[in-house]
Structures are given as structure tokens and as C-alpha cells.
């Protein structure tokens, strides 16, 4: 009997257009919006982000990430029996980006659905997929985070538009006799909906309310630092592990100060923190699988390592997954 799920392959994809802080600052200056490389680096650790070309959707980025993950796992798309896509920037209102991705992968029939938990989306999706694999509903799942956040940015708002980027990351999660996913811990508190949201909605053929991202950065910052520590500790307790068992911490890549603060609270050496925010910016649900894949392909994270993934974002949502790679 299969008791566990395990990641057997990772993949990611960044759209080719890399925009440095200086390039972005120059573009924004043309709109009368003032920012600088120095401010962005000092406050966030971000040096650059990638923006998708016009017409490129989340499922397009997801497709490339999935191809790389399947190749790494030695699986073909035909073997996939579950697709979960975490995204807040879906291709359409409906159907799901997962269903669109399924068709682009050239397969049909298996369940495919989106998970909406904003920047916590990937840890939510991985937890759902783990449960489905462990109960025998799936044997070979694609779990994806994919975003085109550039589409919902207000480029007249310097407090948010310099922070985010586009990209996708994916893992193949398979049934296993040995433990991969060890424990997870998910939370939400809708009382904080207003501090990070895109309030617009479709009604009667029109978009009502602004369809652009709004964030109270300081409120998000304070909550994030607190809940990331709590989620990590709760997940370790569920798995019967301690901070000393963590080989790698891969938190949501939003701000280097939040990430380093979390590592410090968990008494982890700075070298155990996987950082891609400098090159990717904040890619919301894609940030964790993008960072995981970069760390695997870069030779940092290896098979057998114990890895803590942590997400936090709009909702307010947060959560963690502890796994053996
Ligand atoms: O993905 C979901 C999770 N999201 C996050 O985790 C984001 C959490 N929040 C943050 O990362 C930080 O709060 C920010 C990076 C968004 C902002 O950093 P901060 O240190 O909290 O800066 P602040 O909001 O206190 O702003 C400081 C100053 C302000 O000027 P005054 O009022 O002191 O004169 C801002 O107007 O920096 C100004 N400012 C900027 N200056 C140049 C804000 N954005 C910019 C900018 N360029 N892009």
C-alpha cells in the first residue's frame, strides 16, 4: 500500500524579457513615477524581474515549467493523472488554467483544477495533491504555480509595481513507499482581505472596481513575519522534527528582509535560505516552485534533503510544507 507522496521532478520557466531595476525606474520616470535601483534593492533585495510578452498567459508559462518537470521526473504527459495549478492571474474567468494547461499538454480525462490562495497557492496546491496521492486518487500529479502578475500591476503605484514579476514553477508528485511530503500546515484569515487584494470583478459585461493590485505593504510585512515562523514551527511539530532537521528553507520570495527574518527566528544559518527574489521579484504562487527548481538545478538542494516550503499572501493566507526531496 502506498502511504506517501514524493516529488520526483522539478521544472520552471521565466519569460525571456528580464527587466532590471534601472530599466524599470527609467520606464516609470516616463510616467512621472519616481523610484530607484537603490531603494528597491535596499527595501526588498530585488534586482530584476521577468515580464511576459503581450498575449502570453499563465498556462503558457506553466506548460514550459511542466515540460521541464516531467523531463526531470522521467515521465511523459500521458502518465499524469492530476493537474493542480495555483494562480491568481488565470487565463480566463473560467475555465481553469489547469484545464487549459491539460489540453496544451496534449492529454485529457484526468482531473484538473486551479487553487486560489494567492502567494500561498503553491503550498495549498501541494497539500491538496499530497492528500489525493496518499488516498489513492492520483499516482502522478503535476502541481504548478504560474503567474502573469505584470497584468494586474498599477504602474502608477511605485509602492507595488516594482515588487512583482511573471513566471512558473512545477513539480511532479508521485505515489511512493518512502516519505516525501512529511507534514503541512495551512491557514487563512479573511479579516485581512483589504491589505492585499485586486478588488475588481466582472458584472454585466463590465469590470467593476479596480482590477489592479492594492497592498498595504507594512501591514503585510508585519503579518508575514509572524505567521511564517508559526507555520514553520507547527509543521515541524506535526512531522516530529525540529529546526535542526531543516536542510533548506524556501519561503515565498517577496522580500529578502522577511525571508532573512524568518530564517533567523528559526535559528537557521543564512546559507540554508534559498534566495531567488533578487532575480525573479515576487512571482506570487510561482515563487516557491521557481526557487525550488533553481536550487535543485543549481546543485544546492539534493535528493534526500529536508526542505521547508513556506507561503504567505492575500486572503490573508499562509502555510508550510515540510518534505524530503
Ligand atoms: O506577496 C505577498 C507578500 N507581500 C509582501 O510580503 C510584501 C510585504 N511588504 C514589503 O515588502 C514592504 O513593506 C515594502 C517593500 C512593500 C515597502 O517597504 P517599507 O520598508 O515598508 O517601506 P514603506 O512602505 O515604509 O515606505 C518608505 C518610503 C515611503 O516614503 P516616505 O513616506 O517615508 O517619504 C514611500 O513613499 O519609501 C517610499 N517608497 C518608495 N520610494 C522609492 C515606496 N515605494 C517606493 C519606491 N521607490 N518604489
Amino acid at each position: 500500500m502506498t502511504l506517501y507522496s514524493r516529488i520526483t521532478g522539478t521544472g520552471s520557466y521565466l519569460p525571456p524579457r528580464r527587466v532590471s531595476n534601472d530599466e524599470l525606474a527609467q520606464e516609470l520616470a516616463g510616467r512621472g513615477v519616481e523610484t530607484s535601483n537603490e531603494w528597491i534593492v535596499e527595501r526588498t533585495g530585488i534586482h530584476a524581474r521577468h515580464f511576459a510578452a503581450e498575449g502570453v498567459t499563465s498556462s503558457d508559462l506553466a506548460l514550459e515549467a511542466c515540460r521541464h518537470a516531467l523531463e526531470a521526473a522521467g515521465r511523459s504527459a500521458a502518465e499524469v493523472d492530476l493537474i493542480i495549478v495555483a494562480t491568481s492571474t488565470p487565463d480566463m474567468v473560467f475555465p481553469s488554467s489547469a484545464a487549459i494547461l491539460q489540453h496544451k499538454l496534449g492529454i485529457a480525462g484526468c482531473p484538473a483544477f486551479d487553487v486560489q490562495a494567492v502567494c500561498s497557492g503553491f503550498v495549498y496546491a501541494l497539500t491538496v495533491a499530497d492528500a489525493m496521492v496518499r488516498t489513492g486518487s492520483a499516482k502522478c500529479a503535476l502541481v504548478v504555480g504560474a503567474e502573469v502578475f505584470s497584468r494586474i500591476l498599477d504602474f502608477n503605484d511605485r509602492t507595488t509595481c516594482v515588487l512583482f514579476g511573471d513566471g512558473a514553477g512545477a513539480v511532479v508528485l508521485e505515489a511512493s513507499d518512502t516519505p516525501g511530503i512529511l507534514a503541512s500546515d495551512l491557514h487563512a484569515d479573511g479579516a485581512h482581505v483589504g491589505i492585499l487584494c485586486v478588488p475588481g470583478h466582472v458584472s454585466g459585461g463590465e469590470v467593476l472596481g479596480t482590477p489592479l493590485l492594492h497592498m498595504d505593504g507594512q501591514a503585510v510585512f508585519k503579518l508575514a513575519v509572524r505567521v511564517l515562523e508559526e507555520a514553520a514551527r507547527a509543521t515541524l511539530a506535526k512531522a516530529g522534527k525540529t529546526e535542526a532537521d531543516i536542510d533548506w528553507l524556501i519561503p515565498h520570495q517577496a522580500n529578502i528582509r522577511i525571508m532573512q527574518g524568518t530564517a533567523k527566528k528559526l535559528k537557521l544559518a543564512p546559507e540554508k535560505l534559498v534566495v531567488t527574489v533578487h532575480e525573479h521579484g515576487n512571482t506570487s504562487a510561482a515563487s516557491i516552485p521557481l526557487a525550488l527548481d533553481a536550487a535543485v538545478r543549481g546543485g544546492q538542494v539534493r535528493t534526500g534533503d529536508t526542505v521547508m516550503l513556506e507561503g504567505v499572501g492575500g486572503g490573508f493566507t499562509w502555510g508550510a510544507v515540510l518534505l524530503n526531496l
Side-chain angles (χ1 to χ4, degrees), residues 34-35 39 43-44 119 158-159 162-163 196 215 217-218 220-221 252 254-255 257-258 282 312-313:
E34 197 189 322
T35 189
W39 189 96
R43 301 285 175 137
T44 70
C119 305
R158 68 176 182 174
T159 69
V162 301
L163 306 175
L196 180 48
M215 179 169 75
Q218 288 193 3
V220 172
F221 194 107
H252 170 47
N255 186 318
R257 293 186 289 146
I258 297 176
N282 180 346
V312 60

